[in-house]
C-alpha cells in the first residue's frame, strides 16, 4: 500500500517552547501506526534541528522544512539551502505552497528548480498544487492544476518522480473553514493521479502519495482520507493542537 501521511504545516506559528511541547505531546500520544502510515511535522526553520532530534523517538515521524532556496549556495541573504537542511537531518521540504506562490511570487519554474535541488540531495519534496476560487467557479480547476504539475514535475524522470509527495490544496479551502467535500477531493485526486500516470506510467502513479489540504479537521479527516485516491492530508490549523492533530492522524487508512 502506498504511504498514508498526516503532514502538519505549522506555518509561521508557535514559539520555541510551544513547538517543542506540541511535537513531544504528539509523538508521545501516537496510536500504534502501521508500516505504511507516516506523520510529518512541517516546522519553522529555527526549530528544525531540535525537532529532528525529538522525531528520532518514532520511526513513523519525519520532519519537513516549509521552504528552501532555489539556489544551491552563495550570496542570498536570508535564504536557506537544501544542503543546510540535509546537513541537519531534515528529510522533507514543502514546496510551492499557495501562500508562497501568492505572497512571495513563486512560479512553477522556480518550484521546479527547488524540486531538482531537493531530489539531487535525496530529500523528499511535498509539492503543493491547487486552484484559486475563480478557477473552480469557472470549472477550470483541472486545466489549472495540470499546468502546475506539468511545469514543475514533468521534466523529472521516473526514478525521481517516485520520491515526490503531492499535496492538492484548493486555495479557497485553505484557512477558510471551507473544506472541499470528500467527493470533490476524490475527483481531483483521481485526476492528478491520471495526469501522473499519463506522463510516468500507471505503476508510478499508483504508488504516488497524494495528500489533501485545506481545512482538514477532526470532524472531516477520516471521511476525506477514506477516499480511494486520497492518501492523507497536509494540515494547517488543526495541526497546532496536539489533541486535534492526533485525532486527524487516527483518521489515516
Ligand atoms: P489549513 O491549512 O488546514 O489551516 O486550511 C492547510 C495548508 O495550508 O497547508
Amino acid at each position: 500500500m502506498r504511504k498514508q501521511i498526516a503532514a502538519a504545516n505549522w506555518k509561521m506559528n508557535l514559539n520555541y517552547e510551544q513547538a517543542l511541547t506540541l511535537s513531544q505531546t504528539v509523538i508521545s500520544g501516537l496510536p500504534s501506526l502501521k508500516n505504511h502510515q507516516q506523520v510529518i511535522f512541517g516546522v519553522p526553520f529555527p526549530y528544525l534541528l531540535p525537532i529532528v532530534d525529538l522525531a528520532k523517538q518514532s520511526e513513523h515521524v519525519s520532519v519537513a522544512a516549509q521552504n528552501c532556496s532555489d539556489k544551491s549556495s552563495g550570496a542570498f541573504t536570508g535564504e536557506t539551502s537544501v544542503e543546510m537542511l540535509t546537513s541537519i537531518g531534515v528529510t522533507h521540504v514543502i514546496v510551492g505552497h499557495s501562500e508562497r506562490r501568492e505572497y512571495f511570487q513563486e512560479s512553477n519554474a522556480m518550484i521546479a528548480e527547488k524540486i531538482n535541488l531537493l531530489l539531487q540531495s535525496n530529500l523528499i519534496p511535498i509539492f503543493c498544487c491547487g486552484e484559486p476560487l475563480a478557477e473552480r467557479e469557472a470549472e477550470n480547476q483541472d486545466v489549472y492544476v495540470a499546468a502546475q504539475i506539468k511545469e514543475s514535475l514533468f521534466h523529472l524522470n521516473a526514478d525521481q518522480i517516485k520520491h515526490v509527495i503531492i499535496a492538492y490544496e484548493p486555495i479557497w479551502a485553505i484557512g477558510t473553514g471551507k473544506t472541499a467535500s470528500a467527493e470533490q477531493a476524490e475527483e481531483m485526486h483521481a485526476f492528478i493521479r491520471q495526469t501522473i500516470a499519463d506522463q510516468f506510467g500507471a505503476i508510478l502513479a499508483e504508488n504516488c502519495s497524494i495528500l489533501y489540504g485545506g481545512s482538514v479537521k477532526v470532524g472531516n479527516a477520516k471521511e476525506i482520507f477514506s477516499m480511494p485516491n486520497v492518501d492523507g492530508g497536509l494540515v494547517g490549523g488543526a495541526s497546532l493542537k496536539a489533541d486535534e492533530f492526533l485525532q486527524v492522524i487516527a483518521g489515516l487508512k
Side-chain angles (χ1 to χ4, degrees):
M1 190 175 190
R2 58 180 171 255
K3 277 213 153 60
Q4 303 295 304
I5 301 166
N9 178 8
W10 294 348
K11 309 192 182 186
M12 199 172 71
N13 293 298
L14 308 171
N15 65 27
Y16 180 44
E17 210 176 291
Q18 291 167 332
L20 287 182
T21 306
L22 173 60
S23 33
Q24 185 57 64
T25 311
V26 170
I27 291 169
S28 305
L30 283 178
S32 86
L33 295 173
K34 305 195 184 93
N35 276 340
H36 66 270
Q37 294 174 327
Q38 190 183 11
V39 173
I40 300 173
F41 294 127
V43 174
F45 289 124
Y47 317 148
L48 281 167
L49 185 54
I51 293 180
V52 163
D53 231 37
L54 280 184
K56 290 177 183 153
Q57 295 170 58
S58 168
E59 56 179 356
H60 295 280
V61 178
S62 302
V63 176
Q66 298 174 11
N67 183 31
C68 65
S69 175
D70 62 331
K71 308 287 190 301
S72 48
S73 69
F76 300 102
T77 302
E79 288 291 273
T80 301
S81 72
V82 168
E83 191 185 353
M84 293 171 187
L85 297 171
T86 313
S87 71
I88 60 165
V90 169
T91 51
H92 295 66
V93 178
I94 299 169
V95 285
H97 191 279
S98 62
E99 287 149 17
R100 297 221 51 94
R101 292 173 185 264
E102 183 178 351
Y103 306 136
F104 302 93
Q105 285 73 49
E106 293 197 5
S107 64
N108 291 333
M110 183 194 279
I111 294 159
E113 278 309 316
K114 296 182 182 200
I115 290 171
N116 291 343
L117 290 169
L118 289 167
L119 293 172
Q120 276 163 29
S121 293
N122 298 320
L123 264 68
I124 298 176
I126 302 173
F127 166 74
C128 302
C129 56
E131 80 285 356
L133 184 59
E135 300 289 340
R136 170 66 62 167
E137 285 175 346
E139 294 180 11
N140 196 42
Q141 66 270 18
D142 289 5
V143 174
Y144 189 91
V145 170
Q148 289 179 316
I149 292 175
K150 282 180 190 150
E151 289 174 29
S152 294
L153 298 182
F154 270 21
H155 65 286
L156 300 175
N157 62 37
D159 223 36
Q160 294 174 308
I161 190 76
K162 67 180 181 207
H163 299 295
V164 176
I165 297 169
I166 297 176
Y168 168 62
E169 301 205 304
I171 298 173
W172 46 272
I174 296 178
T176 56
K178 208 173 165 185
T179 324
S181 67
E183 290 71 27
Q184 280 174 320
E186 170 60 19
E187 196 176 35
M188 187 51 109
H189 281 229
F191 171 74
I192 291 172
R193 199 175 303 288
Q194 189 57 50
T195 304
I196 297 295
D198 291 344
Q199 176 73 8
F200 298 102
I203 296 174
L204 278 169
E206 205 39 53
N207 288 320
C208 178
S209 295
I210 307 177
L211 317 185
Y212 169 79
S215 298
V216 171
K217 41 189 183 269
V218 174
N220 61 24
K222 200 176 168 67
E223 188 196 357
I224 296 175
F225 297 172
S226 74
M227 302 311 279
N229 281 292
V230 178
D231 305 310
L234 180 56
V235 189
S239 74
L240 294 171
K241 295 209 176 98
D243 57 333
E244 289 184 23
F245 190 51
L246 282 166
Q247 289 182 68
V248 168
I249 294 168
L252 288 175
K253 60 179 177 267

